[in-house]
Amino acid sequence: MALLTLTNAHLAFGHVALLDGADFSLEAGERVALIGRNGAGKSSLLKILAGLERPDDGELQVQGEQRRFYVPQEPAFAPGATVFEAVSEGLAEVKALRARFEAHAPEDDLDALQTRLEALDGWTWERRVDETLQRLRLDASAVVDTLSGGNRKRVALAQALVAAPDVLLLDEPTNHLDLDAIRWLGELLVAFRGALLLITHDRAFLDVVATRILELDRGQLRSYPGNYSAFQGHKARELANEALANARFDKLLAQEEVWIRKGVEARRTRSVARIARLEQMRHEHAARRNVQGNVRLDIDRGGASGKLVAELENVSKGFGGPPLVKDFSTIVMRGDKIGLVGPNGVGKTTLLKMILGQLAPDSGSVRTGTKLEIAYFDQMREVLNPNATLADTISPGSEWIEIGSQRKHVMSYLGDFLFAPARANSPVSSLSGGERNRLLLARLFARPANVLVMDEPTNDLDIETLELLEELLADYDGTVFLVSHDRAFVDNVVTSLIAWEGDEQPGLWREYEGGIGDWLVQRERGRAARQKAAAAQAAAEAPPPAPAAAAPAKPRSKLSYKEQRELDELPARITALEQEQATLGALIGGSALYTEGAARITEVTTRHAQIEDELMQLLERWEALAKRG
């Protein structure tokens, strides 16, 4: 039985129907990803399913006394709250029940309170919070207000997980998270035992997490089994069939319009049924909601920069603590498309400013090229004045803008970015997050530039706009610096990466050819080679061993027969587990699994998550026995 069922839901803002008779059900154990264009109503639908808002019409059925937990895009916390206090708010009911039980108020039924507390495991809620904080690597005593956006998102997720909900609703959970955190979140959600519904535009993340894609398109909800890769094939065929059906309908309507306008003699023989059908066709054509157009992206490339954009030689930079950049060298040429990757707060912006000549290094030299015209996409959208109108944001004091050799009216230009003319005089503050990013792109591309700096441009953009932006940047003949944690977007745009590897040495950055996938492979190979070389050097420099008589060997306890047998069997057990893990991984990555029902999907994903723990236990046991054997 479905945990949530939405039937014939209607929701409209103004004349636009966000939900137009939409139906949806969420089964236990499902991981459903909700996708759709910016402004389609995804966040509104999520709030309806969370019970925070109501549709204009329709019914939401909730099975039993299930617990739902909703995590918004920008979570809010009490001012001055510590991480422990904020996370424990996920157990607000449990805390209140235990406080009432311990107060022994005469009007309370202590037996009923005790029963409810035991059902919610409320006697040890502090331990549950501590375990969750350790799992998410959060400092319980830290003040939430001082945390970065990524760590605030972790606190919100911890608050949700400690509540152990039956249904978890997440709105853009990957925003502000770095690559490692996104990978960690994907593993966490795959192992989550409840039902999950999330909104995200991160295609690589969708492929890892989703067992079903739910698309909100022109007020209707359409369901597709499998992950995002499977959805793409289904959707392409569906849109082609829709376009063909609309073309046939329009041709027939045009023929009927010609017939109805024939002369007097023809009108005498008109069929009443045919006239009624024509009226119905006119009504259907007027009510049709066509596929929303795509953003038309173009950029004024300005004049060509010099062949050399920047040359850095042994640059270092720090701000009182460990260096953010140490002894880094690189050469950037015109036309390079470079991605900067690394966790939040490690110095990506600092390094970028040194490359562009906007920040002097503490040591080393920086040489910048000539004729650089830099356009900067700011992830915090600080260049947008919330009180300015859309038209003034694009072209202050003028109705026209110049893009290369073209002259466009500001209304037409805004239309290229899917802003209706009626909204041109609306304030920026009225826009959604995705619409603000579209406006920022429109402002960015209206100015001549031969160097583009894109700082997290993918946040809140829908998938269609992301794909068009990828094409634009791939064809752009200027230089691109891209800071993004969207793996698919980075891989489709950049030709090389500058990657933070400060876990090996403070301030260490290395340059790699290719995208994120190439970097991960090359990094592991490089680390393995360096470890092997270090071990060989240590062995060569080690003093010769002392004679056997100089130090009596420490007696070593021999393995028992049972332990020796266990040691002999461990390789085969490890191999079997690895093969099982590979088989299940292939199932999860394909589409066939998602036609076998929610129970089978849950069984496979849960087992896949368990195998990693079992492998670690066996490897640790093998190492311990081998040392004694």
Side-chain angles (χ1 to χ4, degrees), residues 55 80 111-112 118 159 236 297 315 327 378 407 415 452 459 472 571 576 608:
D111 289 338
E118 290 173 352
Q159 192 180 78
L297 298 178
V315 298
D327 297 331
D378 175 22
R407 190 167 184 257
L452 286 181
N459 283 352
L472 175 76
H608 186 264

Side-chain angles (χ1 to χ4, degrees), residues 566-619:
E566 181 185 2
L567 178 61
D568 294 340
E569 292 174 351
L570 277 173
R573 293 172 62 188
I574 291 171
T575 301
L577 276 177
E578 289 174 339
Q579 291 174 349
E580 183 184 1
Q581 187 181 47
T583 302
L584 294 179
L587 274 176
I588 293 171
S591 59
L593 172 65
Y594 305 104
T595 64
E596 299 181 16
R600 173 61 176 160
I601 294 168
T602 302
E603 176 190 349
V604 171
T605 54
T606 301
R607 176 58 184 157
H608 186 264
Q610 290 172 346
I611 289 176
E612 189 65 30
D613 293 335
E614 292 181 16
L615 277 172
M616 290 303 298
Q617 292 173 5
L618 290 181
L619 288 168

Side-chain angles (χ1 to χ4, degrees), residues 181-336:
I182 291 172
R183 183 168 58 248
W184 157 84
L185 178 60
E187 295 170 355
L188 187 72
L189 295 181
V190 167
F192 178 64
R193 295 184 179 275
L196 171 69
L197 177 63
L198 76 155
I199 298 172
T200 183
H201 300 128
D202 188 321
R203 291 156 290 176
F205 186 73
L206 281 172
D207 275 343
V208 171
V209 173
T211 59
R212 177 158 66 106
I213 301 294
L214 185 70
E215 184 188 31
L216 179 54
D217 180 23
R218 290 162 284 170
Q220 298 294 315
L221 287 169
R222 297 179 174 87
S223 181
Y224 304 84
N227 56 18
Y228 183 73
S229 296
F231 158 79
Q232 286 181 298
H234 291 301
K235 188 62 179 178
R237 291 189 294 271
E238 196 175 88
L239 288 175
N241 291 336
E242 180 182 341
L244 182 60
N246 285 343
R248 289 172 177 166
F249 180 92
D250 292 345
K251 183 177 181 180
L252 178 59
L253 176 60
Q255 291 172 347
E256 293 300 283
E257 293 289 3
V258 170
W259 169 79
I260 199 68
R261 288 174 174 79
K262 284 184 178 179
V264 175
E265 185 63 30
R267 288 200 295 271
R268 291 175 185 167
T269 60
R270 285 184 299 186
S271 164
V272 174
R274 191 171 180 181
I275 295 172
R277 185 181 70 167
L278 175 58
E279 291 295 333
Q280 178 63 25
M281 291 177 71
R282 286 172 173 172
H283 175 75
E284 290 178 15
H285 186 270
R288 180 197 296 169
R289 294 180 65 180
N290 290 315
V291 176
Q292 185 180 7
N294 284 324
V295 173
R296 290 187 287 277
L297 298 178
D298 195 11
I299 187 168
D300 185 350
R301 289 166 170 79
S305 68
K307 189 173 182 181
L308 175 73
V309 174
E311 181 178 6
L312 282 69
E313 187 171 353
N314 297 323
V315 298
S316 297
K317 187 69 179 178
F319 296 94
L324 295 176
V325 180
K326 185 175 181 181
D327 297 331
F328 178 69
S329 301
T330 189
I331 296 176
V332 180
M333 306 300 291
R334 182 179 63 214
D336 285 350

